[in-house]
Amino acid sequence: MTAEVVADSGVNVSELPARGWRAARALAPVGLGALLGAAFEPLAVPYVIPVCIAGLALTLRDITAWRAARRATVFGIAFMLTTLAWLWPSIGMGAWLALSLVQGLWFLPLGCGLVLVRRLRAWPVWSAALWSAVEVLRGEWPFGGFPWSRLGMAVVDTPWAQLLPLVGIGGTSLLLALLGFLLAAVLESATLRVPSRRWAVVLAAVFALTVLPAVLAELVDRSRTVTVAIIQGGVPGDGKDLVAHHRQVTRSQQVATQLLASRVRAGEEPAPDLVIWPENSTAVDPFGDPEARNAIEASVEAIGRPILVGAMVDDADPRRVLNQGIVWDPATGPGERYTKRHPVPFGEYIPFRSVLGRISPRLAEIPRDMIAGGPQPPVEVAGTSVAMAICFDVAFDDVLPEQVREGADLVVVQTSNAMFTGTAQRAQQFGISRARALETGRSVVVASTNGISGAIGPDGSVVTQSRTRGTEVLVADVPLASGETVAVRMGPMVSGGSLLVALGAVLVGVRRCRAR
């Protein structure tokens, strides 16, 4: 387009660069949100986190709260669409879009809040508290929350992993967000040609904090070990119709356990102290179904050790069911149990079933609602106190740290990732399990129907890991631990503190705006 044509069209040539910059600023949140998703599996490049946070902060400078809310929401939706892309091939495009939208909408109040605190002194601190508060809130509501894709869950293979025993997943998210907002403050000062020495010094100090070894976290004793066997029986086909083939799944667990028993008798494998079966090892109640019970008891008799069995157990109300991990002892039979604390809404129970059931016929595919278990103590297995989580439980802060505070010296995660076969969900969940190992200072044993199963050391290192989605038997010696990391002791204070600080900063920001 020539200058004459531009002039004839009424467009001021001098305004074109400014308009291009404004357009780029408006579109940047989409790219930044998608790039932040690259911090998680399958790409797993967590070093983009501070860059993306800084970029978001710069795109929100000198605009109204409403425009900031829109840009932050676009950022959040792009972020969630990227990290939750595994929902599309596993459950469907509708579920992927709906969950990404609901989670992305939490970034709307974040955008408003970031503008309100922007003119306050130490605004990067208040901004980081806002980010942390939004992570906490979206992990609580609606329908119990969905605490996936928190920044602290992505750092296990970085120097930042050393923060997890000190401040936990929530505190690590807070410090990474602070690092990003401080980077924005330094870049902003440079572009405005104002002294940036103060922010540069603070940025350097926070960066140094995030890479220092967590010396204070070494408050646990790891002098004992336990031998665990993990039975990954595999699932038929693509795994999306596990319930229809539940007998085959249980038989696969039984056959793999009996094969392990024969190898132990032959001296090819050490005798395990306990055996872990995954979630949904039996999709029918073993207390009411003779075939399922016989398979479990035959396996326990063959191996001669306690088995932690993942089972669906009928409630007294036929419209409800429990998802449990059951200690099945060769001498005393079924004993202590753990009940899944955070069932998945619309996947394991239907909120407002009487209303929503009329809207979508697909909800009839979930005929019974799963009952949530409340706070529970660790279970005792072969003299070992075990903190348990079932599938998505591992993402919630109120499950494993609470049991560790009650004396658990080993963590077991039972999961059924059958419907997520071939997606990044399995790797993301295994990454969260590694983060929990670092946070709690405990070894974590993961048993999945189709992978990723494995044993994780208290330092987050992978001791052993399944390589296929088929049948695998893993035997490993893992350290037991006693004592508590700083993160386990102080974890609840990080969440509550970020909420209070964020609320206070927003109220001060509102007051300043009204005063102007």
Side-chain angles (χ1 to χ4, degrees):
M1 182 181 291
T2 64
E4 291 80 2
V5 173
V6 173
D8 290 341
S9 66
V11 176
N12 189 333
V13 176
S14 63
E15 293 182 358
L16 288 177
R19 288 186 179 184
W21 169 244
R22 285 195 296 269
R25 240 179 113 187
L27 293 174
V30 177
L32 289 167
L35 182 61
L36 184 58
F40 300 84
E41 297 285 354
L43 297 180
V45 189
Y47 296 106
V48 303
I49 290 174
V51 176
C52 294
I53 301 295
L56 174 64
L58 293 174
T59 64
L60 303 184
R61 182 165 61 89
D62 297 332
I63 61 176
T64 64
W66 173 237
R67 289 177 66 191
R70 285 185 296 173
R71 288 187 184 180
T73 302
V74 169
F75 172 93
I77 293 173
F79 171 40
M80 291 299 163
L81 284 171
T82 306
T83 54
L84 304 180
W86 44 266
L87 277 166
W88 186 349
S90 58
I91 299 178
M93 184 173 67
W96 171 55
L97 294 175
L99 183 57
S100 299
L101 176 62
V102 169
Q103 291 295 298
L105 286 176
W106 273 111
F107 289 77
L108 190 150
L110 174 66
C112 289
L114 290 176
V115 169
L116 290 171
V117 304
R118 189 59 170 257
R119 295 186 182 276
L120 303 181
R121 289 186 177 182
W123 67 264
V125 175
W126 318 130
S127 298
L130 278 167
W131 182 282
S132 177
V134 166
E135 279 199 348
V136 171
L137 290 172
R138 72 179 180 83
E140 297 286 341
W141 191 87
F143 307 123
F146 188 74
W148 212 261
S149 307
R150 294 160 68 191
L151 302 184
M153 293 174 171
V155 302
V156 289
D157 288 317
T158 72
W160 297 324
Q162 302 303 320
L163 290 169
L164 291 168
L166 284 172
V167 293
I169 289 174
T172 302
S173 291
L174 174 68
L175 288 173
L176 289 176
L178 177 58
L179 194 61
F181 287 116
L182 284 170
L183 177 60
V186 171
L187 295 174
E188 186 177 279
S189 299
T191 58
L192 295 176
R193 296 182 181 180
V194 297
S196 60
R197 183 178 303 172
R198 176 184 60 179
W199 289 127
V201 170
V202 174
L203 174 63
V206 172
F207 180 78
L209 172 65
T210 61
V211 297
L212 285 177
V215 177
L216 295 177
E218 295 295 331
L219 301 177
V220 295
D221 174 27
R222 301 170 185 166
S223 58
R224 301 176 297 147
T225 62
V226 64
T227 303
V228 297
I230 306 162
I231 309 298
Q232 176 182 299
V235 294
D238 61 6
K240 292 183 180 179
D241 201 9
L242 181 144
V243 175
H245 303 282
H246 67 90
R247 299 289 186 193
Q248 182 177 342
V249 171
T250 305
R251 280 196 299 272
S252 296
Q253 294 293 135
Q254 178 185 359
V255 169
T257 305
Q258 291 173 334
L259 176 62
L260 171 63
S262 65
R263 294 173 65 186
V264 169
R265 288 192 295 269
E268 298 172 3
E269 291 281 5
D273 296 299
L274 66 150
V275 180
I276 315 296
W277 281 14
E279 176 191 21
N280 272 339
S281 301
T282 169
V284 293
D285 188 347
F287 301 105
D289 186 273
E291 185 175 343
R293 185 177 186 121
N294 290 339
I296 296 169
E297 291 182 340
S299 301
V300 172
E301 182 180 359
I303 194 66
R305 294 292 189 274
I307 298 180
L308 263 173
V309 178
M312 303 299 289
V313 178
D314 297 333
D315 184 59
D317 183 343
R319 296 169 299 179
R320 305 196 300 179
V321 67
L322 299 94
N323 190 348
Q324 295 188 326
I326 306 168
V327 180
W328 214 291
D329 189 87
T332 59
E336 295 186 35
R337 309 185 201 180
Y338 169 83
T339 302
K340 187 173 185 177
R341 189 163 177 179
H342 294 280
V344 179
F346 303 102
E348 295 175 324
Y349 76 96
I350 307 301
F352 311 113
R353 179 183 287 272
S354 59
V355 177
L356 298 178
R358 301 172 187 169
I359 298 174
S360 174
R362 286 203 63 187
L363 298 181
E365 297 175 9
I366 305 168
R368 298 191 293 177
D369 290 328
M370 188 176 291
I371 305 172
Q376 299 160 76
V379 300
E380 297 297 322
V381 189
T384 301
S385 183
V386 178
M388 292 193 62
I390 296 180
C391 199
F392 284 117
D393 276 351
V394 74
F396 290 83
D397 290 338
D398 61 355
V399 178
L400 294 176
E402 282 189 7
Q403 295 179 70
V404 169
R405 283 192 288 270
E406 293 192 34
D409 41 27
L410 177 70
V411 169
V412 168
V413 179
Q414 294 175 302
T415 185
S416 174
N417 292 328
M419 65 171 21
F420 304 118
T421 300
T423 73
Q425 185 273 347
R426 300 184 306 157
Q428 287 182 10
Q429 185 173 315
F430 196 73
I432 297 172
S433 298
R434 293 181 65 195
R436 291 297 183 197
L438 281 154
E439 180 183 58
T440 61
R442 298 296 188 271
S443 297
V444 176
V445 180
V446 182
S448 172
T449 51
N450 66 323
I452 299 173
S453 302
I456 303 163
D459 59 355
S461 62
V462 179
V463 177
T464 185
Q465 176 180 328
S466 59
R467 300 297 175 185
T468 70
R469 67 188 197 193
T471 301
E472 286 198 45
V473 176
L474 307 174
V475 180
D477 293 326
V478 295
L480 298 179
S482 57
E484 297 176 1
T485 62
V486 176
V488 168
R489 292 180 182 177
M490 309 296 291
M493 304 178 82
V494 174
S495 302
S498 64
L499 286 170
L500 291 175
V501 171
L503 178 60
V506 168
L507 291 176
V508 173
V510 170
R511 185 178 178 183
R512 291 276 181 91
C513 288
R514 293 183 65 182
R516 286 194 182 94

